[in-house]
Amino acid sequence: MSNSRYEPQKIEPRWQDYWEQHQLFRAIDGGERPKFYCLVMFPYPSGALHVGHGRNYIIGDVVARYKMMRGCNVLTPMGWDAFGLPAENAAIKHGIHPQKSVARNIERMKRQINSLGVGYDWQREVNTSSPGYYKWTQWVFLKLFEAGLAYRKNAPVNWCPSCQTALANEEVVNGCCERCDAMVTVKDLRQWFFKITDYAQALLEDIELLGQWPEKVRVMQANWIGRSEGALINFRLEGSDEIIPCFTTRPDTLWGVTFMSLAPEYPAIPELVAGSEHETGVLEFVARTRRLSTVERAGEEVEKEGVFTGRYVINPVNDERVPLWVANYALMEYGTGAVMAVPAHDQRDFEFAKKYGLPIRVVIQPKDELLSADTMTEAFAEEGIMANSGPFNGVPSAEGIPQVTRYLEEKGMGKGEVNYRLRDWLISRQRYWGAPIPVVHCEQCGAVPVPEDQLPVMLPDEVEFTPRGRSPLAFVDEFVNTSCPACGGEAKRETDTIAQWLCSCWYFLRFTSPGRDDVPFDRDLVDYWMPVDQYIGGVEHAVLHLLYSRFIVKVLHEQGHVGFREPFSALFTQGMICKNSYVCNRCGHIVTDDPSVTEPCRCAVGVDLTTRLQKQVETTARLEKMSKSKGNVVPFDDVIEQYGADTLRMYTLAIGPPERDAEWQEGGIVGYYRFLNRLWDRVVQHEADYRRVPRVQISLEELEDEARRIFRRTHATIKRVTRDIEDRWHFNTATAAVMELFNELGGLEPTEVSEGKQTQEQLCRFEVLRFALESITLLLSPFVPHICEELWARMGNQPSILQQSWPEWDKEAAKAEQVEVPVQVNGRVRGRLLVESDIDEELVREQALALEGVKRYTQGKKVLKAIVVPNRIVSIIVR
């Protein structure tokens, strides 16, 4: 009998070295096995990882290991999204060059990932900040430039005053920079954009191809693209032939227009008011309003404000003069930036009209009442019957929309049009740490793309990279001054850098052939491995990375560089791991994670001691996402040192369904450490027997009762775990099922066999135990691979367990045993059910309530509870 103790700190590094030495995670290009590309979103190397980060790597590793055991040719690579604000801000904070900061962080994070036992094909590792990678990011830019999809223009952009750079719309969250939480303002800059709007309809239509994506992500993308059908109506500026076009989804309300509102960003405003008595007031209002973000201005609770321009437009359907205003709630983000205002049927317009004394005219009447503008307290925005609408009086408004649109087209007053909420992708950044945009500006030739054979345009090392509102590259003469590739004359390089989002929009293609320096990816290999079979990452990337990646792949597909239209066949978005923290009621910052620790909130700094002590208790316990900036993280290095990586992996997977947020509890991990210790002891205490006792064929009919029950339960567990992984990704219930099986092995001690008494019955009992323990080890190996490798070898098997086939269940043996379950109503047995032992609880509940004997005592009464104790009893409480 072995006295070996479970010591994960010794076992785990040994098996990690074994996997690396035998290159078990190295993918083979091609072959007869079915390919499976399993990809976890690669991280920003901006600091150390914590247990919240670890969840998605562990999930990805479980899937990869499982698919390898199912006979697939698995590609599971990893790399580093190293360019961009996260890495640069971290470098600035610590006062070192981003290149050094990134290298240091990559080394640390790679060690941490390896310590988790997560297996990757590290020979395919990529770093987006290396010249060998961003050379091809610049190539992608050139492909879009050549197709007319990359352009430069003056435009109002979201500006982060803290990061000192422009932001895409998708990078603004609740009016703040998603990176630093600073309030975003608006600034006019000459910027580079990608025409993602040209692909709006294709992106929308192909959402139907994303059948294995979470429904919420598909809805988020559809809403962000925001397709709407309506009419583009031509309002003529009074006193000129100039047309101000206006898009609306409600042309049926056109006769109710009483004013028009322009967005403060509308480019013609200065010209419209030039030299008039309204010029100063209008321009001051525009300047003041544009300092606010569009998110702030668009909020329903924001007070509606505006200023009259002194100009009028003519409503084409009735020739009425309509006053032209500038309003804070009108946005350039939608339509043309000019909005026809119908106060009776739009709440924002209603509030604005009430505030400024503008007319309100009802043109849609409800079917069952008559509205009057004088008595309305809010806008009527529902469907109804058109009124005061010329030739369309009495037409249902839903029918009036297409009829009015045709009328406008016939009269030359407008046309039907489809509009999208999606706006072109802003890719310029006024920061240092990014791929230089491969364009040269020549006075003679304009914007000239850098030839492909001159890529990469290298990012200079000696740069003062502290943000100053302009790209730091603009101050490096050696970089800026160059010659024009077209005419050879003097020219200037573009000094903005590419947003890091482009780097991550094609990295999955590079993983298929990362060693090529003559092409970004091998066409044959990219078509073999792609699309990604399973992509794993956070839902926060639904309308950033995921939408942008789909766009880039569609462009490359149209140009013949790839043979597929969508990059990711299946998507899984894992939930966050949260921690119970005490949050200041005043400022929202986390004060402490530990209620026994007394700490003043940071918002109390600088006030007297008495006030600070008072502020200490003004907190609320709340589950918060783990975040280094909030200071509430759990470093997984500490957990591994104490309990081992397998315990951390098992607890992370058992904490709840992986798609949901889960709470990290310090005491919760101990139980899983104890389980692994018990599993270890059960195997190694009879280690010699597993090697010595010969294997025998198991016959279900010849087994005695306890052995038969365990044998059947083992097959049933194989079936359940396999389906939990395949069908639902419920790793928590899969591990729980294995633990339940293990807990039932107590009656199968191999005492007699150990003592040399080897009757056929005893050998069969031992073989059932060996079969159960080997099955447990195989089933747990994707979840806790180190201990399973060790136990597999100690039971006399050849490593690696990763190269074993996934266990199969016998259909006959896996049939669930039937149990009789009494059904109580208010404490008295009113019926009995014969059910399979592993039947779903909800089904048991339904069958119990359907029993005739039970229905007699529940009919006409309210069922308060129907409690199912699996395999024991159903208790129904009625009133």
Side-chain angles (χ1 to χ4, degrees):
M1 181 179 294
S2 172
N3 293 318
S4 172
R5 294 190 308 114
Y6 175 48
E7 296 179 285
Q9 293 77 12
K10 293 182 179 179
I11 296 168
E12 292 172 354
R14 182 168 72 248
W15 285 107
Q16 289 161 13
D17 289 344
Y18 179 92
W19 298 328
E20 183 178 357
Q21 290 169 7
H22 290 78
Q23 297 185 352
L24 295 186
F25 290 92
R26 184 176 181 181
I28 305 301
D29 296 323
E32 295 182 358
R33 291 181 298 160
K35 71 94 178 176
F36 190 85
Y37 188 170
C38 181
L39 184 62
V40 174
M41 292 182 184
F42 64 170
Y44 302 111
S46 55
L49 299 172
H50 54 71
V51 296
H53 295 127
R55 193 181 199 190
N56 61 326
Y57 305 125
I58 294 169
I59 291 171
D61 193 52
V62 169
V63 175
R65 288 175 181 271
Y66 172 74
K67 288 296 183 179
M68 290 170 73
M69 295 178 73
R70 297 293 286 188
C72 292
N73 181 24
V74 175
L75 170 58
T76 175
M78 181 48 67
W80 313 98
D81 193 7
F83 266 149
L85 292 178
E88 185 171 350
N89 286 342
I92 292 170
K93 179 180 178 181
H94 296 100
I96 61 175
H97 195 283
Q99 193 174 59
K100 294 181 179 178
S101 173
V102 162
R104 183 182 66 185
N105 289 336
I106 286 176
E107 181 181 1
R108 181 178 185 181
M109 292 168 69
K110 188 173 181 178
R111 176 187 58 77
Q112 287 185 297
I113 289 174
N114 286 332
S115 73
L116 275 175
V118 174
Y120 291 122
D121 185 349
W122 286 111
Q123 294 187 355
R124 296 175 185 257
E125 180 180 5
V126 300
N127 177 336
T128 62
S129 66
S130 69
Y133 184 91
Y134 71 72
K135 166 184 179 178
W136 301 112
T137 300
Q138 293 171 342
W139 176 88
V140 173
F141 177 95
L142 292 180
K143 295 300 108 180
L144 273 78
F145 186 92
E146 293 167 6
L149 296 170
Y151 67 95
R152 190 170 179 243
K153 70 171 183 177
N154 284 320
V157 296
N158 303 304
W159 181 260
C160 176
S162 174
C163 295
Q164 289 284 291
T165 191
L167 303 174
N169 294 338
E170 294 85 349
E171 295 174 293
V172 180
V173 180
N174 296 325
C176 297
C177 172
E178 68 159 359
R179 296 297 177 203
C180 69
D181 288 332
M183 188 63 69
V184 170
T185 61
V186 177
K187 187 174 182 178
D188 285 320
L189 288 176
R190 192 158 181 78
Q191 300 283 278
W192 284 94
F193 294 84
F194 285 158
K195 293 185 72 175
I196 191 173
T197 51
D198 280 10
Y199 287 75
Q201 188 60 32
L203 289 165
L204 189 62
E205 290 175 353
D206 284 354
I207 286 177
E208 297 304 317
L209 300 177
L210 309 177
Q212 296 184 63
W213 282 39
E215 179 63 18
K216 64 179 179 181
V217 176
R218 298 199 300 162
V219 170
M220 289 168 71
Q221 290 217 352
N223 290 342
W224 191 262
I225 295 167
R227 186 183 193 274
S228 56
E229 296 184 15
L232 189 68
I233 305 170
N234 299 325
F235 286 79
R236 181 175 57 82
L237 184 66
E238 186 182 53
S240 77
D241 294 328
E242 183 180 345
I243 296 297
I244 296 182
C246 170
F247 176 80
T248 179
T249 59
R250 294 292 306 273
D252 56 315
T253 65
L254 185 51
W255 281 261
V257 174
T258 60
F259 67 96
M260 177 180 281
S261 54
L262 297 177
E265 297 84 3
Y266 197 81
I269 289 177
E271 182 182 347
L272 287 170
V273 298
S276 73
E277 60 180 299
H278 299 276
E279 181 177 17
T280 300
V282 169
L283 296 183
E284 286 180 353
F285 175 81
V286 166
R288 173 167 54 85
T289 306
R290 290 188 60 186
R291 286 194 289 269
L292 303 174
S293 71
T294 56
V295 175
E296 292 176 279
R297 287 161 44 195
E300 292 183 4
E301 71 287 350
V302 174
E303 182 180 358
K304 308 304 182 284
E305 294 183 321
V307 60
F308 180 45
T309 65
R311 303 296 298 272
Y312 292 83
V313 293
I314 305 301
N315 187 332
V317 297
N318 55 18
D319 290 329
E320 286 189 355
R321 299 173 77 231
V322 176
L324 189 59
W325 286 67
V326 180
N328 64 342
Y329 66 93
L331 306 175
M332 285 297 296
E333 300 296 307
Y334 189 77
T336 65
V339 181
M340 68 177 217
V342 186
H345 306 293
D346 182 278
Q347 186 60 30
R348 297 175 307 166
D349 296 341
F350 182 85
E351 294 172 14
F352 192 91
K354 283 287 188 181
K355 179 173 182 175
Y356 292 103
L358 296 168
I360 298 174
R361 182 183 304 144
V362 177
V363 293
I364 305 293
Q365 290 285 2
K367 296 179 181 179
D368 52 358
E369 62 177 306
L370 191 64
L371 292 178
S372 170
D374 296 333
T375 58
M376 291 179 70
T377 58
E378 61 181 2
F380 174 69
E382 307 301 322
E383 291 184 8
I385 305 299
M386 295 178 67
N388 302 315
S389 299
F392 296 95
N393 288 336
V395 176
S397 59
E399 298 176 17
I401 291 174
Q403 290 183 27
V404 172
T405 301
R406 286 194 296 270
Y407 176 81
L408 294 170
E409 291 176 338
E410 291 168 1
K411 301 292 184 180
M413 300 172 178
K415 62 178 181 177
E417 186 164 287
V418 173
N419 196 56
Y420 297 91
R421 178 178 181 267
L422 182 67
R423 287 293 174 260
D424 281 344
W425 174 10
L426 169 66
I427 61 105
S428 288
R429 295 296 181 270
Q430 293 70 43
R431 294 293 290 257
Y432 165 64
W433 194 237
I437 294 176
V439 169
V440 168
H441 299 288
C442 173
E443 290 187 4
Q444 300 297 322
C445 307
V448 181
V450 174
E452 288 183 24
D453 61 6
Q454 294 182 22
L455 298 180
V457 177
M458 294 289 291
L459 188 67
D461 292 332
E462 301 301 322
V463 178
E464 174 55 54
F465 52 84
T466 303
R468 349 178 194 180
R470 290 178 62 199
S471 170
L473 298 181
F475 302 94
V476 183
D477 291 340
E478 296 82 0
F479 175 83
V480 173
N481 296 321
T482 186
S483 57
C484 174
C487 70
E490 293 182 356
K492 304 285 187 182
R493 289 195 187 279
E494 173 62 58
T495 57
D496 281 357
T497 51
I498 300 173
Q500 83 266 17
W501 296 107
L502 183 59
C503 304
S504 62
C505 286
W506 74 279
Y507 80 109
F508 40 86
L509 306 176
R510 185 65 175 171
F511 276 140
T512 64
S513 46
R516 295 290 294 267
D517 59 5
D518 56 333
V519 290
F521 44 80
D522 183 292
R523 172 63 193 268
D524 291 337
L525 292 179
V526 82
D527 284 350
Y528 167 74
W529 285 112
M530 292 289 294
V532 171
D533 295 280
Q534 185 63 66
Y535 201 25
I536 301 167
V539 73
E540 65 271 18
H541 298 297
V543 293
L544 277 164
H545 164 65
L546 292 171
L547 187 64
Y548 293 161
S549 297
R550 295 182 60 217
F551 164 60
I552 294 299
V553 165
K554 289 188 184 306
V555 174
L556 295 177
H557 174 259
E558 282 193 357
Q559 295 179 356
H561 299 295
V562 300
F564 44 89
R565 291 163 50 195
E566 288 289 340
F568 314 118
S569 295
L571 172 70
F572 182 83
T573 54
Q574 84 281 353
M576 297 180 295
I577 290 186
C578 305
K579 192 175 180 186
N580 201 16
S581 302
Y582 290 81
V583 181
C584 174
N585 292 342
R586 178 182 178 186
C587 69
H589 288 123
I590 293 175
V591 178
T592 179
D593 296 326
D594 186 350
S596 66
V597 176
T598 303
E599 293 183 9
C601 178
R602 68 184 80 174
C603 71
V605 174
V607 302
D608 63 87
L609 179 61
T610 302
T611 305
R612 289 182 67 175
L613 290 174
Q614 289 175 347
K615 290 185 183 300
Q616 287 171 187
V617 297
E618 295 175 2
T619 60
T620 301
R622 204 160 64 203
L623 281 178
E624 293 283 321
K625 173 186 175 182
M626 286 192 187
S627 168
K628 287 178 287 185
S629 63
K630 293 180 178 179
N632 67 334
V633 301
V634 177
F636 64 63
D637 291 2
D638 297 347
V639 180
I640 290 175
E641 183 177 349
Q642 185 173 3
Y643 299 109
D646 282 336
T647 301
L648 172 58
R649 288 172 64 113
M650 194 166 188
Y651 178 58
T652 299
L653 295 166
I655 203 170
E659 72 275 12
R660 299 181 188 172
D661 293 348
E663 179 184 358
W664 179 273
Q665 296 180 326
E666 299 295 344
I669 197 170
V670 178
Y672 296 93
Y673 181 62
R674 290 172 179 163
F675 167 76
L676 293 180
N677 271 278
R678 289 193 295 119
L679 175 62
W680 174 272
D681 291 341
R682 186 66 190 262
V683 172
V684 301
Q685 67 178 332
H686 296 291
E687 182 178 337
D689 296 331
Y690 299 117
R691 297 172 181 272
R692 178 177 57 83
V693 177
R695 293 182 180 270
V696 296
Q697 188 70 32
I698 299 175
S699 171
L700 186 64
E701 293 75 16
E702 295 178 3
L703 294 177
E704 48 86 17
D705 290 348
E706 180 65 9
R708 183 186 301 111
R709 188 182 67 82
I710 295 300
F711 185 70
R712 290 172 65 90
R713 188 60 186 270
T714 302
H715 279 284
T717 302
I718 294 170
K719 176 181 177 181
R720 179 178 171 184
V721 171
T722 304
R723 290 187 172 177
D724 277 350
I725 295 175
E726 287 278 0
D727 300 340
R728 304 189 301 166
W729 278 40
H730 280 192
F731 305 137
N732 56 322
T733 57
T735 53
V738 179
M739 293 173 72
E740 289 171 10
L741 172 62
F742 177 79
N743 290 335
E744 294 187 22
L745 300 184
L748 286 180
E749 284 293 342
T751 306
E752 300 88 351
V753 173
S754 298
E755 295 172 354
K757 302 173 183 178
Q758 299 180 2
T759 67
Q760 183 63 25
E761 180 179 335
Q762 292 163 349
L763 286 174
C764 285
R765 283 174 59 85
F766 182 80
E767 193 61 33
V768 169
L769 176 64
R770 175 157 45 194
F771 170 65
L773 286 172
E774 286 186 342
S775 297
I776 286 171
T777 306
L778 288 165
L779 294 174
L780 283 179
S781 63
F783 306 103
V784 286
H786 308 89
I787 189 173
C788 290
E789 287 277 20
E790 185 74 17
L791 295 180
W792 183 255
R794 284 178 179 249
M795 283 191 282
N797 301 301
Q798 290 298 314
S800 159
I801 197 171
L802 189 60
Q803 295 173 307
Q804 305 303 311
S805 296
W806 185 256
E808 301 285 345
W809 71 87
D810 180 272
K811 291 182 180 180
E812 184 63 32
K815 283 184 179 178
E817 298 177 30
Q818 290 190 319
V819 294
E820 188 177 70
V821 176
V823 181
Q824 292 182 344
V825 179
N826 287 350
R828 292 197 175 187
V829 175
R830 302 299 185 183
R832 295 182 182 276
L833 276 177
L834 192 63
V835 298
E836 293 182 347
S837 59
D838 63 349
I839 192 172
D840 182 77
E841 287 185 19
E842 187 58 37
L843 189 55
V844 173
R845 191 175 289 110
E846 291 176 6
Q847 291 180 4
L849 290 168
L851 287 174
E852 289 299 325
V854 171
K855 287 164 69 174
R856 286 200 298 269
Y857 294 93
T858 59
Q859 195 167 14
K861 298 180 180 180
K862 182 178 182 180
V863 177
L864 301 179
K865 292 181 180 179
I867 304 168
V868 178
V869 180
N871 303 328
R872 299 287 298 278
I873 195 170
V874 179
S875 179
I876 301 170
I877 301 172
V878 299
R879 184 176 61 194

